[in-house]
C-alpha cells in the first residue's frame, strides 16, 4: 500500500509533470473507482492543472477555475506515468486499468488496481474537504507544527495498542501497515504496547522514530520515477515484509503476527525483550 512517503514522492513527480498542462480527457475504465458523480469527470477537461497536493495518503490535483481530482490508491492501486499515452480509448475489461488522464501534450497517467478487492477511489469535488476520508484526517506527522507535545496529546487516553493507533488516519495521517512496523522497530517498542501507557521518555523516542523514519523514506523516494517507487520502498524497509530474515540492528530473526487481512513484522530482541508475540488476533506477550 502506498503510504505517506510514496504519495509525497508521487505528489512531487506529478507537480513536475502536470502543473501548467491542460487536461483534455479523463477516461473511466472501472466505473466502481468513481465515488462522486457531481461534478462529472468531464468537468476536469479543458482546465489546466494548477497544483498537486497530498493529504495523508490522498493525492489532490487542483485545476485552475475548475474542480479537484482527488485519488486514494488504497492497498493495491498505483499510478503509471506515460510520456505518450496509447492511441484510442482504453477498453473496459478484467485488467487492472481503472482510470486514464490525458494531457494536451499526449502524455498522461493511468490509475491501476491489482487484485480482486477494488478499493481504489477517485473523487471529483470543488474542495478536497468534501471527501470524507480527507475531512476526518488527523495531523500530518511531517508538518512543522507536529511536535512531541502534539503526539503526547494524541496518545493520552488512547487505550489501543500502538500498532493500531499509528495506523488510524483520524489520529495521525499517512502512516500505514509498513511504516508503522518500521517506526516501532526504530523506537524499540512492542506493537502491542498500549499507546496511553508511554512514559515521557518513550513518547520522545516514538516521536523521533516517527519523524526520522518518514523523513528518511521521503528523501529516499525523492526524484525516483513513479514506476520505481514500490521497489524503492521495499528496499528501505528493515523489518516489514522480512519475516525470517535477520534483523539489521541485532541479528535476531524477524518474526510475524498474522491477522485476517494483514500481518505485522517485528524483532523480538529490539522490541519485546526477546519474547515472541503470540500469532493470534488477540495477541499478548507469551509468558
Amino acid at each position: 500500500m502506498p503510504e505517506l512517503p510514496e504519495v509525497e514522492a508521487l505528489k512531487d513527480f506529478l507537480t513536475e509533470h502536470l502543473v501548467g498542462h491542460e487536461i483534455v480527457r479523463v477516461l473511466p475504465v472501472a466505473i466502481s473507482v468513481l465515488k462522486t458523480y457531481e461534478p462529472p469527470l468531464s468537468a476536469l477537461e479543458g482546465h489546466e492543472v494548477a497544483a498537486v497536493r497530498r493529504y495523508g495518503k490522498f493525492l489532490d490535483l487542483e485545476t485552475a477555475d475548475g474542480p479537484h481530482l482527488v485519488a486514494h490508491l488504497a492497498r493495491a492501486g498505483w499510478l503509471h506515468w506515460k510520456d505518450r499515452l496509447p492511441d484510442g480509448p482504453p477498453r473496459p475489461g478484467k485488467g487492472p486499468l481503472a482510470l486514464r488522464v490525458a494531457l494536451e501534450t499526449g502524455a498522461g497517467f493511468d490509475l491501476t488496481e491489482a487484485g480482486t478487492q477494488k478499493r481504489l477511489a477517485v473523487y471529483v469535488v470543488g474542495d478536497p474537504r468534501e471527501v470524507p476520508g480527507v475531512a476526518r484526517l488527523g495531523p500530518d506527522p511531517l508538518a512543522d507544527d507536529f511536535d512531541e507535545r502534539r503526539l503526547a496529546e494524541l496518545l493520552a487516553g488512547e487505550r489501543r495498542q500502538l500498532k493500531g493507533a499509528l495506523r488510524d488516519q483520524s489520529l495521525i495521517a499517512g502512516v500505514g501497515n509498513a511504516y508503522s512496523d518500521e517506526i516501532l522497530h526504530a523506537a524499540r517498542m512492542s506493537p502491542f504496547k498500549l499507546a496511553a501507557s508511554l512514559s515521557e521518555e518513550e513518547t520522545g523516542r516514538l516521536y523521533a522514530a516517527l519523524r526520522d523514519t518518514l523523513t528518511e523514506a521521503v528523501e529516499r523516494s525523492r526524484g525516483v520515477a513513479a514506476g520505481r517507487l514500490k521497489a524503492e520502498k521495499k528496499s528501505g524497509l528493515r523489518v516489514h515484509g522480512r519475516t525470517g530474515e535477520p534483523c539489521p540492528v541485532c541479528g535476531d530473526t524477524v518474526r510475524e503476527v498474522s491477522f485476517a487481512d494483514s500481518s505485522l513484522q517485528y524483532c523480538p530482541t529490539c522490541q519485546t525483550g526477546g519474547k515472541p508475540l503470540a500469532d493470534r488476533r488477540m495477541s499478548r506477550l507469551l509468558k
Side-chain angles (χ1 to χ4, degrees):
M1 176 185 289
E3 299 178 38
L4 186 156
E6 295 76 50
V7 180
E8 180 72 11
L10 285 174
K11 182 209 74 174
D12 292 344
F13 179 88
L14 292 177
T15 296
E16 179 182 351
H17 289 78
L18 289 182
V19 171
H21 291 290
E22 179 187 342
I23 296 175
V24 293
R25 293 293 303 277
V26 184
L27 302 166
V29 179
I31 300 300
S32 62
V33 75
L34 189 60
K35 305 305 179 184
T36 57
Y37 303 97
E38 184 59 40
L41 276 174
S42 58
L44 295 158
E45 298 173 357
H47 291 282
E48 185 179 288
V49 179
V52 183
R53 296 185 174 86
R54 177 186 62 79
Y55 300 97
K57 302 178 194 177
F58 289 84
L59 271 173
D60 169 30
L61 275 60
E62 177 185 351
T63 63
D65 302 318
H68 295 244
L69 176 67
V70 179
H72 190 288
L73 297 174
R75 175 173 293 183
W78 198 246
L79 184 147
H80 302 268
W81 177 262
K82 299 181 184 296
D83 291 328
R84 182 72 189 182
L85 288 170
D87 294 330
R91 295 181 179 180
K94 297 182 179 180
L97 181 59
L99 185 84
R100 175 167 290 168
V101 175
L103 304 178
E104 90 285 358
T105 60
F109 64 85
D110 289 339
L111 293 182
T112 64
E113 185 173 24
T116 58
Q117 295 184 350
K118 301 302 182 183
R119 298 177 180 175
L120 177 67
V122 172
Y123 309 80
V124 181
V125 291
D127 187 308
R129 289 170 292 185
E130 296 175 31
V131 177
V134 173
R136 62 173 174 260
L137 284 175
D140 193 293
L142 293 186
D144 292 339
D145 60 353
F146 188 88
D147 55 16
E148 187 176 326
R149 180 178 178 180
R150 182 71 173 119
L151 178 62
E153 291 172 349
L154 291 171
L155 298 181
E158 183 59 66
R159 301 306 301 171
R160 286 177 295 177
Q161 297 163 337
L162 279 174
K163 173 72 176 182
L166 287 175
R167 294 184 61 187
D168 183 351
Q169 299 304 293
S170 65
L171 191 72
I172 300 173
V175 178
N177 195 32
Y179 286 110
S180 57
D181 283 352
E182 296 299 300
I183 290 163
L184 291 169
H185 178 254
R188 306 188 305 281
M189 292 181 185
S190 168
F192 297 133
K193 186 177 180 65
L194 290 181
S197 71
L198 267 61
S199 66
E200 183 176 346
E201 184 275 332
E202 288 173 325
T203 300
R205 191 153 28 105
L206 181 63
Y207 175 78
L210 174 66
R211 296 277 289 203
D212 291 349
T213 298
L214 295 178
T215 298
E216 290 169 7
V218 168
E219 290 304 314
R220 286 197 309 270
S221 300
R222 199 177 301 280
V224 176
R228 301 205 324 268
L229 280 171
K230 285 186 180 181
E232 175 57 41
K233 175 181 180 178
K234 185 175 181 179
S235 69
L237 299 177
R238 293 188 170 192
V239 291
H240 184 79
R242 300 194 180 278
T243 303
E245 298 181 21
C247 169
V249 174
C250 71
D252 194 1
T253 301
V254 173
R255 294 179 180 249
E256 176 176 306
V257 176
S258 298
F259 302 102
D261 60 352
S262 66
S263 64
L264 65 83
Q265 287 78 42
Y266 69 100
C267 169
T269 294
C270 292
Q271 296 174 253
T272 61
K275 299 178 181 180
L277 295 169
D279 192 6
R280 299 188 186 94
R281 181 176 293 274
M282 301 301 292
S283 296
R284 296 168 58 186
L285 281 174
L286 295 176
K287 299 296 184 180

